[in-house]
């Protein structure tokens, strides 16, 4: 149950003061806050990266913000730094795993038709095989 001090705005629960909160039934919020085990690759105060449980390539890592943001459509003023951090982290992970020379892809699906299965902003970092274009 969402605590009463939170209000919903376009599917995103926010505190009445405007801050973002963890959504109780969100699997990625639970991973970000250590309530669900995952193969953590990296974590800091802003982001958590972990191996996808259903990898689509030899490297398939998900990068999520610790705060609950439903999708790219919910990004607000001031989120540019968070998105930049996520992309820099994607490059770092690809480099550390040796995919910087062969190539890798960073994807953020937005909405059901795009294939977003968890309503928490996340970036897929995929590499290690020839990726097709267009995707899908």
């Amino acid at each position: 149950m969402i605590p009463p001090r939170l209000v919903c705005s376009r599917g995103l629960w926010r505190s009445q003061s405007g801050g973002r909160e963890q959504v109780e039934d969100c699997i990625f919020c639970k991973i970000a806050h250590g309530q669900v085990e995952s193969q953590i690759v990296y974590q800091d105060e802003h982001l958590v990266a972990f191996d996808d449980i259903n990898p689509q390539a030899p490297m398939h890592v998900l990068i999520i913000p610790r705060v609950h943001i439903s999708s790219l459509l919910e990004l607000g003023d001031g989120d540019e730094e968070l998105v930049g951090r996520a992309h820099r982290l994607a490059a770092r992970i690809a480099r550390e795993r040796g995919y910087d020379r062969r190539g890798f892809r960073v994807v953020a699906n937005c909405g059901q038709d795009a294939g977003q299965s968890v309503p928490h902003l996340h970036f897929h970092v995929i590499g290690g095989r020839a990726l097709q274009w267009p995707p899908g």
Side-chain angles (χ1 to χ4, degrees):
M1 191 74 188
I2 301 296
R5 71 181 187 280
L6 301 181
V7 293
C8 185
S9 168
R10 295 184 358 203
L12 175 63
W13 292 96
R14 297 178 189 269
S15 70
Q16 291 177 345
S17 65
R20 293 174 175 148
E21 303 287 337
Q22 177 181 352
V23 173
E24 187 174 313
D25 62 348
C26 174
I27 187 68
F28 286 176
C29 283
K30 290 178 180 181
I31 290 171
H33 292 89
Q35 298 166 338
V36 170
E37 245 183 81
S38 190
Q39 197 66 34
I40 303 294
V41 172
Y42 174 89
Q43 58 183 320
D44 65 19
E45 64 202 53
H46 305 285
L47 300 169
V48 177
F50 54 94
D51 288 321
D52 194 298
I53 61 168
N54 185 25
Q56 301 300 305
M59 175 182 66
H60 190 165
V61 174
L62 299 177
I63 299 173
I64 63 172
R66 285 194 183 272
V67 297
H68 186 86
I69 302 172
S70 296
S71 74
L72 289 171
L73 293 171
E74 294 294 336
L75 289 171
D77 293 340
D79 286 329
E80 294 84 0
E81 184 177 346
L82 181 68
V83 173
R85 285 176 184 267
H87 281 84
R88 285 193 317 269
L89 178 57
R92 175 180 166 183
I93 292 168
R95 192 177 303 110
E96 288 174 354
R97 293 189 174 193
Y99 295 108
D100 54 325
R101 294 180 193 247
R102 291 183 51 206
F104 63 99
R105 184 174 291 166
V106 179
V107 177
N109 298 320
C110 188
Q112 183 177 355
D113 284 355
Q116 184 180 8
S117 58
V118 178
H120 185 119
L121 178 63
H122 56 286
F123 299 92
H124 298 260
V125 185
I126 304 167
R129 68 172 175 82
L131 301 170
Q132 302 300 310
W133 195 262

